[in-house]
Amino acid sequence: MGKTAKISGAVGTIAVFLLAGCSSAPTEFTTHGTLTFNGGVNGSSPWGGDATEGQLCFARTGYGFDDLTAGTQVKITDASGKTLALGQLAPGVYHSPPHATCVFNFTVPKTPKANFYGVTVGSRTGPQFTEAQMQAGPSLTVGPPPR
Protein backbone atom coordinates (compact mmCIF):
# COMPACT_ATOMS: atom_id res chain seq x y z
CA MET A 1 0.00 0.00 0.00
CA GLY A 2 2.86 2.34 0.75
CA LYS A 3 4.32 1.69 -2.70
CA THR A 4 1.07 2.60 -4.43
CA ALA A 5 0.90 5.92 -2.59
CA LYS A 6 4.44 6.79 -3.69
CA ILE A 7 3.74 5.94 -7.33
CA SER A 8 0.49 7.87 -7.51
CA GLY A 9 2.15 10.81 -5.78
CA ALA A 10 4.91 10.81 -8.37
CA VAL A 11 2.39 10.58 -11.22
CA GLY A 12 0.43 13.48 -9.75
CA THR A 13 3.58 15.57 -9.48
CA ILE A 14 4.56 14.79 -13.08
CA ALA A 15 1.07 15.74 -14.28
CA VAL A 16 1.27 19.10 -12.49
CA PHE A 17 4.66 19.86 -14.10
CA LEU A 18 3.39 18.90 -17.56
CA LEU A 19 0.29 21.05 -17.22
CA ALA A 20 2.30 24.01 -15.94
CA GLY A 21 4.68 23.72 -18.90
CA CYS A 22 1.81 23.68 -21.41
CA SER A 23 -0.08 26.62 -19.97
CA SER A 24 2.72 29.19 -19.78
CA ALA A 25 3.72 31.31 -22.77
CA PRO A 26 7.40 31.89 -23.56
CA THR A 27 8.84 34.87 -21.70
CA GLU A 28 11.68 35.49 -24.16
CA PHE A 29 12.55 35.13 -27.84
CA THR A 30 15.51 35.49 -30.19
CA THR A 31 15.72 38.75 -32.11
CA HIS A 32 16.96 38.50 -35.72
CA GLY A 33 17.49 41.91 -37.33
CA THR A 34 19.45 43.85 -39.93
CA LEU A 35 21.52 47.02 -40.03
CA THR A 36 21.91 48.47 -43.52
CA PHE A 37 24.75 50.93 -44.14
CA ASN A 38 24.32 53.28 -47.10
CA GLY A 39 27.29 55.09 -48.49
CA GLY A 40 31.03 54.45 -48.64
CA VAL A 41 31.28 50.69 -48.81
CA ASN A 42 34.49 48.71 -49.25
CA GLY A 43 34.87 45.03 -49.97
CA SER A 44 37.14 42.53 -48.25
CA SER A 45 38.80 45.03 -45.88
CA PRO A 46 38.04 48.46 -44.42
CA TRP A 47 41.14 49.94 -46.12
CA GLY A 48 40.19 49.76 -49.76
CA GLY A 49 38.85 47.90 -52.73
CA ASP A 50 35.41 47.98 -54.29
CA ALA A 51 32.91 45.37 -53.21
CA THR A 52 31.00 43.03 -55.50
CA GLU A 53 27.52 41.55 -54.94
CA GLY A 54 27.45 39.09 -52.04
CA GLN A 55 31.04 39.82 -50.96
CA LEU A 56 31.92 40.68 -47.37
CA CYS A 57 31.98 44.45 -46.89
CA PHE A 58 32.83 47.21 -44.43
CA ALA A 59 31.95 50.85 -43.95
CA ARG A 60 34.70 52.90 -45.59
CA THR A 61 37.16 54.28 -43.01
CA GLY A 62 37.33 58.00 -42.36
CA TYR A 63 33.60 58.72 -42.72
CA GLY A 64 32.62 58.25 -39.06
CA PHE A 65 31.24 54.72 -39.45
CA ASP A 66 34.41 52.75 -38.74
CA ASP A 67 32.71 50.90 -35.89
CA LEU A 68 30.23 49.19 -38.23
CA THR A 69 31.96 45.87 -38.50
CA ALA A 70 31.48 42.26 -37.48
CA GLY A 71 31.42 41.93 -33.71
CA THR A 72 30.05 45.40 -32.93
CA GLN A 73 27.74 45.11 -29.93
CA VAL A 74 23.96 45.18 -30.41
CA LYS A 75 22.07 46.13 -27.25
CA ILE A 76 18.34 45.62 -26.75
CA THR A 77 16.76 47.89 -24.11
CA ASP A 78 13.29 48.37 -22.70
CA ALA A 79 11.36 51.65 -23.00
CA SER A 80 13.20 53.08 -19.96
CA GLY A 81 16.64 52.29 -21.43
CA LYS A 82 17.39 49.29 -19.20
CA THR A 83 19.55 46.69 -20.98
CA LEU A 84 17.57 43.50 -21.65
CA ALA A 85 19.86 41.47 -23.94
CA LEU A 86 23.09 41.70 -25.94
CA GLY A 87 24.23 40.39 -29.31
CA GLN A 88 26.61 41.43 -32.07
CA LEU A 89 26.76 42.24 -35.76
CA ALA A 90 27.64 39.45 -38.17
CA PRO A 91 29.98 40.27 -41.09
CA GLY A 92 28.48 42.73 -43.59
CA VAL A 93 27.38 41.54 -47.04
CA TYR A 94 27.45 43.87 -50.06
CA HIS A 95 24.27 44.48 -52.08
CA SER A 96 24.14 46.86 -55.03
CA PRO A 97 20.70 47.24 -56.57
CA PRO A 98 19.51 49.93 -56.44
CA HIS A 99 22.25 51.47 -54.20
CA ALA A 100 25.56 50.32 -52.77
CA THR A 101 24.82 49.02 -49.28
CA CYS A 102 26.50 46.85 -46.69
CA VAL A 103 23.96 44.74 -44.76
CA PHE A 104 24.87 43.41 -41.33
CA ASN A 105 22.62 40.78 -39.77
CA PHE A 106 22.42 40.44 -36.01
CA THR A 107 21.01 37.92 -33.57
CA VAL A 108 20.20 38.68 -29.96
CA PRO A 109 19.20 35.57 -28.01
CA LYS A 110 17.03 35.58 -24.90
CA THR A 111 15.27 38.90 -25.53
CA PRO A 112 12.70 39.20 -22.70
CA LYS A 113 9.15 40.17 -23.61
CA ALA A 114 8.33 43.88 -23.13
CA ASN A 115 5.95 46.46 -24.58
CA PHE A 116 8.58 48.57 -26.35
CA TYR A 117 12.25 48.10 -27.20
CA GLY A 118 15.23 50.19 -28.21
CA VAL A 119 18.08 48.87 -30.34
CA THR A 120 21.57 50.33 -30.02
CA VAL A 121 24.38 49.29 -32.38
CA GLY A 122 27.76 50.42 -31.12
CA SER A 123 27.15 54.04 -30.09
CA ARG A 124 24.13 54.52 -32.39
CA THR A 125 20.71 54.45 -30.79
CA GLY A 126 17.84 53.45 -33.06
CA PRO A 127 14.09 54.01 -32.87
CA GLN A 128 11.63 52.25 -30.56
CA PHE A 129 10.06 48.96 -31.70
CA THR A 130 7.01 47.02 -30.53
CA GLU A 131 7.24 43.39 -29.48
CA ALA A 132 5.65 42.33 -32.79
CA GLN A 133 8.23 44.35 -34.75
CA MET A 134 11.07 42.82 -32.74
CA GLN A 135 9.80 39.29 -33.31
CA ALA A 136 9.37 40.04 -37.05
CA GLY A 137 12.96 41.37 -37.20
CA PRO A 138 13.89 45.02 -36.67
CA SER A 139 15.53 46.79 -39.59
CA LEU A 140 17.88 49.74 -39.03
CA THR A 141 19.54 52.00 -41.61
CA VAL A 142 22.53 54.33 -41.13
CA GLY A 143 24.68 56.45 -43.40
CA PRO A 144 23.96 59.11 -45.96
CA PRO A 145 20.72 58.82 -47.92
CA PRO A 146 21.08 56.86 -51.17
CA ARG A 147 21.44 58.93 -54.34
Side-chain angles (χ1 to χ4, degrees), residues 50-63:
D50 291 330
T52 58
E53 186 68 28
Q55 181 182 12
L56 294 182
C57 58
F58 301 83
R60 188 166 286 155
T61 57
Y63 290 88

Side-chain angles (χ1 to χ4, degrees), residues 16-147:
V16 168
F17 284 126
L18 290 175
L19 289 174
C22 293
S23 64
S24 63
T27 58
E28 59 188 28
F29 58 93
T30 299
T31 301
H32 299 279
T34 59
L35 172 77
T36 300
F37 174 68
N38 294 317
V41 176
N42 284 344
S44 300
S45 80
W47 301 282
D50 291 330
T52 58
E53 186 68 28
Q55 181 182 12
L56 294 182
C57 58
F58 301 83
R60 188 166 286 155
T61 57
Y63 290 88
F65 298 98
D66 300 356
D67 63 324
L68 297 183
T69 186
T72 298
Q73 184 180 71
V74 177
K75 178 171 58 173
I76 307 294
T77 61
D78 64 13
S80 71
K82 176 185 169 193
T83 299
L84 298 176
L86 299 172
Q88 61 185 11
L89 292 179
V93 178
Y94 180 80
H95 296 284
S96 57
H99 313 288
T101 62
C102 191
V103 179
F104 298 88
N105 291 319
F106 60 86
T107 300
V108 182
K110 299 184 179 185
T111 303
K113 290 196 171 210
N115 291 326
F116 293 97
Y117 299 86
V119 179
T120 301
V121 179
S123 61
R124 293 168 176 75
T125 302
Q128 292 281 305
F129 294 94
T130 65
E131 181 183 328
Q133 290 171 318
M134 289 296 283
Q135 290 199 25
S139 179
L140 304 164
T141 302
V142 297
R147 296 179 193 181

